Amino acid sequence: MRIVLLGAPGSGKGTQANRLKLELHIPHVSTGDMLRAAVTAGTSIGRKAKAAMDAGQLVCDQILLAMLEERLSQEDMHDGFILDGYPRNLSQADALDHLLARIGQPLDAVVKLDVSNEAIIDRCRIRYAAEHRKDDDPLVVRGRLRIYAEQTAPLDDFYARRGLLQVVDGAHEPHEVTLRIKRALKLEPMVISD
Ligand code: AMP
């Protein structure tokens, strides 16, 4: 199964992707994790990406596409993947469409985790205290939410028009959100409540 997870920073994409990876036995591809690893390793991609990442801005599309193309061509991608953090704007969504068409692996579903900005600001504050990620600094988070609203939120329509979008309420405990995602993907029976 090939899935894209959408949602604002701090909406729980990473947590859910990790949980789904274990349940569905498909790899979790996080462009944020890949970039952080490149920064830590001091590669040329890492050096180019660091300033934008620290400021909570988007790293340029060409770097992301090259990185993703390489990752998606690896052996373990053949049974599907969970893409987290990509695409982040319409031009990346177009590039992804073309890339997946070229390798004959179109998306099965796009899951958007819906969480209010207030809840996100709270979650990032807690993560900032625990992990000290510069981009979780409360001031930077506001900027990231603005970029998300301007550049990433339009992807909801992009994928809804293709009949791929499933919106899941992400303001619950992680296990409950996973269950809701699996129901949306028809991997769990729907519960009819009155
Ligand atoms: P994330 O862990 O997904 O929140 O990503 C952390 C940071 O990595 C983002 O704030 C961006 O600076 C950068 N990044 C990750 N994915 C992308 C992407 N698809 N396009 C541009 N920048 C990205």
Side-chain angles (χ1 to χ4, degrees), residues 104-120:
Q105 299 209 32
L107 291 176
D108 295 303
V110 174
V111 175
K112 150 92 179 263
L113 295 179
D114 197 21
V115 180
S116 71
N117 279 4
E118 294 72 41
I120 282 176

Side-chain angles (χ1 to χ4, degrees), residues 113-175:
L113 295 179
D114 197 21
V115 180
S116 71
N117 279 4
E118 294 72 41
I120 282 176
I121 289 167
D122 266 1
R123 285 182 185 183
C124 288
R125 191 179 301 124
I126 292 166
R127 194 166 64 180
Y128 185 55
E131 295 177 23
H132 312 293
R133 265 175 57 175
K134 284 201 178 106
D135 57 356
D136 281 335
D137 179 309
L139 279 178
V140 177
V141 168
R142 287 184 192 279
R144 291 171 77 199
L145 287 174
R146 208 167 29 245
I147 291 173
Y148 177 82
E150 286 166 10
Q151 301 201 36
T152 313
L155 297 182
D156 295 2
D157 266 359
F158 178 92
Y159 287 119
R161 269 188 267 116
R162 285 164 169 71
L164 289 172
L165 185 74
Q166 298 285 345
V167 179
V168 170
D169 184 353
H172 296 277
E173 291 301 313
H175 70 273

